Amino acid sequence: LVQDELKKIAAYKAVEMVKSGMVIGLGTGSTAKHAVDRIGELLRQGKLEDIIGIPTSTKTHEQALSLGIPLSDLDSHPVLDIAIDGADEVDPELNLVKGRGGSLLREKMVEGVCKKFVVIVDESKLVKYIGASGLAMPVEIVPFCWKFTAQRLQEFFEYAGCVAKLRTFASSNGMENCVLPFVTDNGNYLVDLYFKGDIGDLKAASDAILRLAGVVEHGMFLDMATTVVVAGELGVTIKNK
Ligand code: DER
């Protein structure tokens, strides 16, 4: 099975937990996309009724709109019944890395206030410890003096062999190509942290990151997932907190 099929299997399994009348956090990314599509399909078939979606990005907002899913926000629904979203890494304690798609702030706001946070992954996302994939652990920061903030983050995590990189993208205005900072839905920048070693005490690391005034939020979702649906070659497993 190719990875996207596994993502779809995990997503469809998670959507079985959605009941009519629920307020649902709609995640962002290629796995969550399948879950939002499935919710739209069940709504159209009349198998789900009276649901309200709370999107975690403008991208998911547009997808849900196109599917006819009624949408609202945290101002109107400060508590959600369930949220379904992907993850970049899942450790044995169900701590997550999220945000490689750039939506970590709104995801953390929505997924922090739901009764049930269901994470959907293919088995490639399972890691022994957070940061082990060697891929980015994103931190959302304010644009003001971003270099200063990125340097502080890199220095704090020097013990774990950390390199901090501003997330950029290539752009061209027809005349010349240039590299611009990635800007989140909230008008902020992202610094991606790459680790060679184990971060160790995740809670202490989270507290230290959030103490930096220029930091808005980071991509470690600690003690938030209640359920993780893992789709693998040998089938689907559900891990509960
Ligand atoms: O960027 C995000 O937070 C996404 O949810 C990410 O964690 C998972 O994206 P994927 O489903 O495309 O791998």
Side-chain angles (χ1 to χ4, degrees):
L1 285 168
V2 296
Q3 187 182 27
D4 193 56
E5 283 166 20
L6 291 176
K7 291 180 175 184
K8 189 170 182 179
I9 291 166
Y12 279 43
K13 190 71 191 165
V15 172
E16 290 175 16
M17 303 176 202
V18 176
K19 305 299 175 210
S20 291
M22 279 190 169
V23 180
I24 311 153
L26 304 176
T28 299
S30 60
T31 312
K33 182 185 174 303
H34 288 302
V36 176
D37 281 341
R38 180 65 174 157
I39 289 168
E41 183 184 18
L42 294 176
L43 194 62
R44 215 173 26 258
Q45 294 169 349
K47 291 177 183 164
L48 268 181
E49 297 172 330
D50 307 322
I51 60 168
I52 292 177
I54 312 289
T56 55
S57 65
T58 51
K59 193 170 180 191
T60 297
H61 188 281
E62 281 150 27
Q63 178 194 3
L65 272 184
S66 71
L67 292 163
I69 299 172
L71 298 177
S72 186
D73 60 25
L74 293 177
D75 292 345
S76 310
H77 296 277
V79 178
L80 283 67
D81 296 300
I82 190 170
I84 300 176
D85 201 354
D88 298 300
E89 292 183 10
V90 181
D91 81 0
E93 287 74 48
L94 308 193
N95 293 309
L96 316 174
V97 170
K98 281 181 59 51
R100 282 184 204 141
S103 318
L104 68 98
L105 178 61
R106 297 190 183 187
E107 290 172 340
K108 200 176 258 193
M109 288 178 72
V110 170
E111 288 145 20
V113 292
C114 54
K115 295 171 191 159
K116 196 177 167 66
F117 175 22
V118 183
V119 176
I120 49 179
V121 292
D122 67 275
E123 58 192 351
S124 74
K125 308 297 186 67
L126 302 182
V127 295
K128 285 190 179 44
Y129 56 86
I130 293 299
S133 73
L135 300 173
M137 199 289 275
V139 182
E140 182 152 341
I141 67 169
V142 295
F144 174 72
C145 287
W146 66 266
K147 211 175 283 184
F148 166 80
T149 302
Q151 192 54 39
R152 297 292 78 68
L153 285 165
Q154 183 164 296
E155 282 165 5
F156 176 79
F157 286 111
E158 198 170 357
Y159 70 90
C162 174
V163 173
K165 285 197 186 119
L166 179 72
R167 189 176 302 186
T168 59
F169 68 97
S171 168
S172 79
N173 60 6
M175 256 97 80
E176 72 255 339
N177 297 331
C178 55
V179 173
L180 300 172
F182 175 92
V183 178
T184 68
D185 283 347
N186 319 300
N188 296 315
Y189 285 176
L190 287 174
V191 167
D192 286 320
L193 302 183
Y194 298 87
F195 295 96
K196 291 192 187 60
D198 190 342
I199 296 170
D201 182 337
L202 298 178
K203 180 74 176 63
S206 170
D207 292 345
I209 290 175
L210 295 174
R211 267 199 298 275
L212 291 169
V215 167
V216 178
E217 193 44 84
H218 61 71
M220 291 188 289
F221 284 43
L222 309 180
D223 199 23
M224 287 178 65
T226 54
T227 305
V228 177
V229 179
V230 185
E233 288 302 329
L234 301 177
V236 185
T237 53
I238 296 183
K239 300 166 183 263
N240 287 304
K241 192 75 183 169

